């Protein structure tokens, strides 16, 4: 007790002075930044490792397959016994079809939800609806995949009889539902961060809530909204489970949404879970497809960065 | 200088209010669409999955025979994997934050 009283009376400066002379402590203190730097560099090195692996294995692929055949070829038949074809365009077409449908579903509904939550809903309604919406983003994608295959496709077949069991429409809609809360939530955050004084000014001039939302709040929050859309699109491009389960595995270079497709991610899954031997051209092809996918998502992330910088408004 | 014509503002007020109400309903319905999708998803999972939940399902290991299949062992692996992953990510993330802050402060001081 007496010791406690004594230490309580010691000032912080006294304690520092008391421990300053210890050699071990000093050495330990000096080593801490190096230890922390080493730990921090692990994630950076991991990223570099992933990118370098992708690049090296992709080079190996291009030693076997001409770059022009890969880039401009319209047929992707890697398992063909006669003459395997590695034209990436069908896989890109499949990915873009699903992404396009997802954007058509998610952007209008997501933005409308964001405007409702930010401009019209009461605090209580917002407090309930927003977390419930965010639950959608937390549903595992495998569940969404089965939902697309066992519910959405049969439901759509009632209206579109020619729709095949594996198609682009159903996974596209479900990917759209999956990214919808991302757009709604991030856009709502961006709109809510617009100062109320601007809103009140417009309302005081006689604008309706819709006019305030469309002509004042949306332009002011444009950078955040665009960034949310671009991030959601890059998630749609990289989506794997839904398209693997409900999209099928037929690479096609056309605009048909009712037939089976194959996306870049679905191809990687197909080869990774199959019997492709190490060192074969098919094995290296997954790296080339992965690298193409990486370029797509990198481009989208850079775009999000540029947009958010270009349209940023600070109040 | 063009002044606001009070008469025309009053005349258009009704239409503007109707448009505002229409869009409010539209935006609300869009929000409901997302909630409906979630509701349908949960309804499907619960109605189709609840019949298969039994004590055997939780106490059996994985099997290729559906009647003998269970998830015993899975939660352990999921927890273990997630635990290891979370610990690794959390530690690395914390240290990155710490160092970034240090670098920023150092930069500010200079």
């Amino acid at each position: 007790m007496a010791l406690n009283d004594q230490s309580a009376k010691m000032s912080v400066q006294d304690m520092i002075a008391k421990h300053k002379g210890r050699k071990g402590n000093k050495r330990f203190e000096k080593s801490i930044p190096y230890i922390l730097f080493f730990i921090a560099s692990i994630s950076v090195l991991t990223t570099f490792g992933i990118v370098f692996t992708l690049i090296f294995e992709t080079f190996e692929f291009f030693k076997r397959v001409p770059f022009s055949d890969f880039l401009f070829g319209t047929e992707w038949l890697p398992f063909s016994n006669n003459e395997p074809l590695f034209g990436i365009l069908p896989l890109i077409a499949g990915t873009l079809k699903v992404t396009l449908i997802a954007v058509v579903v998610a952007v209008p509904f997501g933005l409308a939800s964001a405007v409702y939550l930010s401009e019209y809903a009461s605090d209580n309604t917002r407090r309930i609806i927003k977390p419930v919406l965010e639950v959608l983003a937390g549903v595992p994608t495998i569940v969404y995949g089965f939902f697309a295959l066992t519910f959405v496709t049969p439901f759509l077949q009632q209206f579109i009889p020619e729709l095949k069991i594996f198609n682009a429409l159903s996974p596209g809609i479900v990917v759209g539902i999956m990214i919808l809360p991302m757009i709604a939530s991030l856009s709502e955050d961006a709109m809510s961060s617009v100062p109320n004084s601007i809103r009140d000014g417009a309302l005081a001039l006689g604008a309706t809530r819709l006019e305030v939302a469309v002509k004042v709040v949306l332009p002011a929050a444009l950078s955040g909204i665009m960034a949310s859309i671009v991030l959601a699109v890059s998630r749609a491009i990289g989506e794997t489970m839904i398209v693997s389960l409900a999209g099928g595995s037929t690479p096609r270079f056309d605009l048909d949404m009712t037939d089976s497709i194959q996306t870049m991610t679905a191809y990687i899954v197909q080869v990774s879970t199959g019997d492709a031997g190490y060192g074969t051209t098919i094995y290296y092809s997954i790296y080339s497809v992965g690298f193409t996918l990486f370029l797509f998502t990198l481009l989208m992330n850079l775009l999000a960065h540029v947009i958010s910088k270009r349209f940023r408004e600070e109040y | 200088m063009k002044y606001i014509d009070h008469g025309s503002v009053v005349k258009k007020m009704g239409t503007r209010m109707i448009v505002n109400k229409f869009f409010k309903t539209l935006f609300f319905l869009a929000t409901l669409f997302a909630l409906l999708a979630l509701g349908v998803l949960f309804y499907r999972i619960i109605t189709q999955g609840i019949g298969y939940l039994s004590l055997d399902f939780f106490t059996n290991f994985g099997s290729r025979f559906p009647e003998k299949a269970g998830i015993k062992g899975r939660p352990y692996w999921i927890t273990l994997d997630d635990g290891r992953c979370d610990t690794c990510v959390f530690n690395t993330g914390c240290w990155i934050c710490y160092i970034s802050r240090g670098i920023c402060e150092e930069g500010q001081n200079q």
Side-chain angles (χ1 to χ4, degrees):
Chain A
M1 190 71 187
L3 196 74
N4 279 350
D5 286 346
Q6 199 186 350
S7 62
K9 278 174 193 168
M10 263 172 104
S11 68
V12 178
Q13 280 87 354
D14 292 338
M15 285 169 78
I16 292 169
K18 193 181 166 191
H19 291 276
K20 212 173 182 178
R22 291 187 186 176
K23 258 191 175 176
N25 271 3
K26 237 181 183 178
R27 213 171 293 151
F28 180 68
E29 284 281 338
K30 271 190 177 172
S31 66
I32 278 181
Y34 296 104
I35 296 168
L36 297 184
F37 181 77
F38 171 73
I39 295 168
S41 62
I42 289 173
S43 67
V44 180
L45 288 175
T46 310
T47 311
F48 277 120
I50 291 168
V51 174
F52 279 125
T53 309
L54 266 181
I55 290 170
F56 287 132
E57 303 288 35
T58 305
F59 267 122
E60 195 58 46
F61 173 76
F62 285 124
K63 280 181 191 168
R64 297 159 187 230
V65 177
F67 184 66
S68 57
D69 286 4
F70 177 75
L71 205 61
F72 304 112
T74 54
E75 278 188 287
W76 184 266
L77 298 167
F79 299 103
S80 168
N81 286 328
N82 300 329
E83 195 191 350
L85 294 167
F86 292 95
I88 189 81
L89 287 178
L91 296 184
I92 293 179
T95 305
L96 291 184
K97 272 185 216 173
V98 171
T99 309
L100 186 76
I101 298 166
V103 166
V104 167
V105 172
V107 171
F109 283 103
L111 282 185
S113 303
V115 172
Y116 177 75
L117 290 174
S118 154
E119 302 304 312
Y120 290 101
S122 64
D123 277 351
N124 279 340
T125 315
R126 191 182 308 128
R127 224 172 287 143
I128 296 166
I129 291 181
K130 206 177 166 193
V132 174
L133 261 183
E134 280 164 0
V135 170
L136 265 178
V139 175
T141 51
I142 184 97
V143 176
Y144 275 126
F146 274 108
F147 180 63
L149 187 63
T150 61
F151 178 75
V152 179
T153 302
F155 180 73
L156 289 175
Q157 278 174 331
Q158 292 173 7
F159 307 100
I160 314 166
E162 65 270 21
L163 191 73
K164 307 271 170 26
I165 188 76
F166 296 115
N167 58 77
L169 202 57
S170 163
I173 291 170
V174 176
V175 171
I177 292 171
M178 185 191 75
I179 62 171
L180 193 155
M182 199 178 185
I183 295 177
S185 182
L186 292 176
S187 299
E188 199 273 329
D189 286 342
M191 290 165 79
S192 297
S193 64
V194 173
N196 274 338
S197 55
I198 298 177
R199 253 188 216 98
D200 293 343
L203 285 170
L205 286 170
T208 60
R209 286 220 171 261
L210 177 70
E211 288 161 350
V212 172
V214 174
K215 293 176 182 169
V216 177
V217 179
L218 276 178
L222 194 64
S223 89
I225 291 169
M226 292 300 281
S228 77
I229 292 172
V230 175
L231 284 176
V233 170
S234 72
R235 174 138 193 230
I237 290 174
E239 175 44 43
T240 309
M241 278 326 292
I242 301 173
V243 288
S244 298
L245 283 172
S249 53
T250 318
R252 283 172 193 277
F253 186 55
D254 56 27
L255 296 172
D256 190 6
M257 304 281 187
T258 59
D259 216 334
S260 174
I261 54 154
Q262 188 165 45
T263 63
M264 291 189 268
T265 49
Y267 173 71
I268 295 172
V269 169
Q270 187 192 7
V271 175
S272 306
T273 54
D275 302 324
Y278 174 76
T280 58
T281 312
I282 293 176
Y283 169 80
Y284 286 116
S285 74
I286 61 172
Y287 287 97
S288 64
V289 174
F291 189 69
T292 315
L293 192 65
F294 170 71
L295 287 182
F296 267 83
T297 46
L298 180 71
L299 200 75
M300 295 310 288
N301 284 338
L302 286 176
L303 192 67
H305 186 68
V306 169
I307 287 171
S308 62
K309 247 185 148 181
R310 167 78 180 77
F311 295 103
R312 176 169 293 159
E313 295 201 21
E314 285 174 16
Y315 304 101
Chain B
M1 194 171 173
K2 204 176 172 186
Y3 290 98
I4 296 168
D5 177 18
H6 184 70
S8 75
V9 170
V10 172
K11 220 165 93 181
K12 284 180 186 170
M13 198 56 160
T15 322
R16 285 170 60 210
M17 295 303 281
I18 289 168
V19 170
N20 182 47
K21 252 190 186 161
F22 171 74
F23 274 95
K24 183 184 174 181
T25 316
L26 201 69
F27 293 151
F28 177 67
L29 289 176
T31 313
L32 274 191
F33 167 78
L35 295 177
L36 184 76
L38 184 69
V40 171
L41 184 67
F42 280 159
Y43 176 76
R44 294 270 306 173
I45 292 170
I46 292 166
T47 52
Q48 294 199 337
I50 203 144
Y52 295 96
L53 287 182
S54 62
L55 190 64
D56 287 346
F57 178 71
F58 288 108
T59 51
N60 284 353
F61 285 101
S63 167
R64 60 198 169 92
F65 303 108
E67 64 276 10
K68 289 181 182 173
I71 56 161
K72 190 177 177 185
R74 298 290 173 204
Y76 168 73
W77 283 112
I78 292 166
T79 317
L80 192 69
D81 273 4
D82 280 2
R84 276 190 297 207
C85 183
D86 288 350
T87 314
C88 183
V89 169
F90 181 74
N91 285 339
T92 314
C94 284
W95 295 129
I96 288 171
C97 280
Y98 187 82
I99 287 176
S100 311
R101 205 184 66 176
I103 292 167
C104 290
E105 281 173 0
E106 215 168 88
Q108 275 175 348
N109 290 338
Q110 281 173 359

